Amino acid sequence: MTVWEHYDRMAETVVERRAVVDQQGTMLTHGELREQAASIGSGFATIGLQPGDILGVFLPNRAAWPAVALGAAYSGIGVLGLNTRFREAELNHLLGVADVNTVVVADEFLGIDGPALMAGLDRPVRCVVAASTADADREPGDPVQLADLAATEPTGPVGRADHPLIGFTTSGTTGFPKIAMHDQRQTLSHLLNVADSFALGVDAVSLTPLPLCGAFGYTVGLATLLAGGAVVTHETWDVDDAAAAIDGHGVTYFSASDDMLLGVLNSDGFDPSGSWRSGGFADFTNAGVDAVTTAEKVSDGRLRLTGLYGSSEGFALMSSFDPAAPRDDRSRNGGYLVGADMTVRCCDPETGTELPPGEPGELQFRGTNLIAAYLNNPEASAKAFTEDGWYRSGDLGHVVEPDERGHQGFVFLARLGDSLRLRGFLCDPAEIENHLERHPAVDLAQVVGVSRPGVGDVAVGFVRLTAVADRPVPAEAELLDHCRTGLANYKRPERVVIVEEFPVTDGPNGVKIRKVELRERATELLEA
């Protein structure tokens, strides 16, 4: 069964129930969402998109997002989720890797003119514009409007289970994001497992302020819709708005980062006796224990949060601890895998030897939820998977004994490598380093993360300048501005420090820069 076939049958049973409510006041029932998605999916063919093509989606969390996502399932087209914080450097790379020639884009969001941004890219792309308001005065040659596609007469679904459906970006080993593309079979299997494990049925109302272009927001939102529940989308994060939405829309399920949950729990506008009864957290700011404890305290034990785990390669909400489990267990990330066909093992990162329960090593996964390879990136794929087909997570953890269902479990401890978790997004420091090195005065850059209480990781850059006579030494503000114009704002370093040389050490594989010393210096700089 395809994602569309499942949704089509499910929507028939809940035609009049709410499906999507967004911050702009748009409300769609499941019947209306199904109708819009079928028309949009048929409309894609009228502008030349064919089954198997990849479509870029550069939209904030509005009702148009799930309509486009389900329309893609209808038409057999894959969606490449593009974070609205991305700018030229990221967009040029991603659209090229995925061979995207069409992007659904908001006409305006937070001061960004979407079509103008796309027009300035190196790769020519056609825009399908999701207008914020009705556009009655269009001229010939103006971009295609999503509203026009939504008025197309449906011609019948053509999507297959093996067609690509959703691609998430993830940090890249070459300094650019990779693309984890999932087909319809993988997506449907995982989302139904999630809906079952987290009780996201027809009476569920999920709050989804996390971007639908990412694995976390997409998994929560689409799992809820496929189960017949309602999704309340927020395109910008505001604690008081979120608290009001929980009360005003009867939100029952809310999962997010630990700091977001804590903000709502401590908000004056939050009613702990209301509808919110379950959720989970990703530990982005080392506040998971506080979130779990606060939730139980303010609700007299009725609201029980639990740690989660996920990835772009395997979707979010891959696992969770039982809400009835002791608080100490639920305060950790990890848990029991949501699908019986999903497996986890822990291996020594140097020898590859599989380790017994309780002994820490690299967590490795297999299952129908996982990609087989990164899109058009065989080098990265070869590094990410073992010879026997296990996905190398790059995460430190240990396995635990299976639960009473026979589902395997594990505990996440930390990242093995140097990846940064910046404002909730996992980033490869090489991406920021490569961009700094595009500044004409920079010869070499290194970026490290410093963990700050209540904030999480922040990036600090160190640069060595090129040896060119008479070239003025750039001020730190100039280097920060260089990052601001080319990278998403959450990737911008807190500081960029000029150094004459980097600390190095000789090893069996050559000279290596000692990032541990850079982290120590970065910590001192931020504490000064």
Side-chain angles (χ1 to χ4, degrees), residues 105-157:
V105 59
D107 56 351
E108 188 277 336
F109 177 61
L110 296 181
I112 299 298
D113 183 323
L117 176 61
M118 297 299 157
L121 300 180
D122 296 340
R123 179 184 181 86
V125 295
R126 170 180 50 196
C127 288
V128 175
V129 179
S132 302
T133 58
D135 184 6
D137 300 319
R138 288 184 293 152
E139 300 291 336
D142 282 354
V144 175
Q145 298 289 309
L146 185 64
D148 294 339
L149 301 189
T152 305
E153 184 67 26
T155 55

Side-chain angles (χ1 to χ4, degrees), residues 332-355:
R332 302 177 293 179
N333 286 127
Y336 294 93
L337 296 168
V338 298
D341 64 329
M342 299 165 64
T343 55
V344 59
R345 71 182 185 185
C346 186
C347 294
D348 185 297
E350 295 183 359
T351 66
T353 303
E354 188 168 354
L355 301 171

Side-chain angles (χ1 to χ4, degrees), residues 186-200 223 317-318 337-342 368-369 405 407:
Q186 291 172 305
T187 304
L188 181 61
S189 173
H190 184 66
L191 295 184
L192 293 183
N193 280 335
V194 167
D196 181 63
S197 295
F198 294 88
L200 301 178
L317 278 65
M318 287 173 55
L337 296 168
V338 298
D341 64 329
M342 299 165 64
T368 55
N369 61 307
R405 303 169 299 172
H407 288 208

Side-chain angles (χ1 to χ4, degrees), residues 286-302:
N286 301 318
V289 174
D290 288 344
V292 172
T293 303
T294 302
E296 292 184 41
K297 180 179 179 180
V298 301
S299 69
D300 291 330
R302 291 186 296 270

Side-chain angles (χ1 to χ4, degrees), residues 56-69:
V57 176
F58 189 74
L59 293 174
N61 283 10
R62 295 175 182 167
W65 221 113
V68 169

